[in-house]
Amino acid sequence: MQEALKLAEEIDNTFMEASLSLDATEIFLRFNQPEEAENLLGNASEIISQYDYTKLYPELYRLCSDLFSKKGEFKLAFEYQRDYTEAKDEIFVEDLNQHIANMQVKYEVDKMIMENAQLATKLEHQRQELTLRATKILEKNELISTIN
């Protein structure tokens, strides 16, 4: 994990660095090493805030809640749990709104395609009708010219 973090720093991939810091934080918390977890969490928090990696906030808040719970600071743990829920809900709503917008665009495109197909069919029908009328007019003209 440390090597991956170093690599993320070297290639200046801050999103990866923040994600890996969060992953490592979870590992340290599972092995009951809150000091190491807190250091990594601070690093992740700094990066997430600096670059506004919105999608990482829920995980950051969840891990903060876990950390403060392990440290016995239950009021802070509760506040971070509430922040986690709010951030997760905001992302869900944002994703849902994006999905709805995509579906609306797809619907409008499909509707236009269908309308274009109907118009093409109507135009083809009108063309065939005009061709038939023109043929009949030509036949009448030929008939008239043979009579005269």
Side-chain angles (χ1 to χ4, degrees), residues 1 21 27-28 31 36 50 53 62 68 99 111 114-115 148:
M1 184 65 74
S21 293
I27 292 168
F28 283 124
F31 287 103
E36 290 85 354
Q50 182 179 356
Y53 292 137
R62 185 186 67 77
F68 287 113
H99 181 69
K111 183 177 163 185
M114 191 66 113
E115 287 172 358
N148 290 338

Side-chain angles (χ1 to χ4, degrees), residues 91-119:
I91 289 173
F92 175 76
V93 168
E94 184 180 299
D95 289 346
L96 186 60
N97 286 338
Q98 184 62 47
H99 181 69
I100 289 169
N102 289 343
M103 293 300 290
Q104 286 174 330
V105 167
K106 183 182 180 325
Y107 169 77
E108 291 299 325
V109 167
D110 289 347
K111 183 177 163 185
M112 287 173 59
I113 289 170
M114 191 66 113
E115 287 172 358
N116 284 343
Q118 289 172 345
L119 285 173

Side-chain angles (χ1 to χ4, degrees), residues 6 8-9 19 34 44 108 130:
K6 284 180 187 175
E9 284 178 41
S19 294
E108 291 299 325
L130 288 173

Side-chain angles (χ1 to χ4, degrees), residues 5-86:
L5 274 168
K6 284 180 187 175
L7 177 61
E9 284 178 41
E10 286 174 15
I11 63 172
D12 198 30
N13 187 332
T14 55
F15 187 86
M16 182 188 298
E17 185 180 351
S19 294
L20 289 169
S21 293
L22 293 174
D23 292 343
T25 297
E26 182 144 26
I27 292 168
F28 283 124
L29 286 173
R30 284 189 183 171
F31 287 103
N32 204 24
Q33 297 177 356
E35 295 81 22
E36 290 85 354
E38 193 167 7
N39 290 336
L40 284 166
L41 206 51
N43 181 49
S45 179
E46 224 175 86
I47 294 168
I48 292 167
S49 296
Q50 182 179 356
Y51 295 97
D52 196 30
Y53 292 137
T54 309
K55 300 277 186 187
L56 295 179
Y57 277 111
E59 185 67 8
L60 173 67
Y61 295 146
R62 185 186 67 77
L63 290 170
C64 285
S65 177
D66 290 352
L67 173 68
F68 287 113
S69 179
K70 284 195 184 289
K71 290 173 73 174
E73 297 180 37
F74 299 111
K75 185 177 178 188
L76 275 173
F78 174 76
E79 289 174 11
Y80 276 111
Q81 186 64 34
R82 186 184 61 227
D83 292 344
Y84 161 72
T85 302
E86 288 175 8

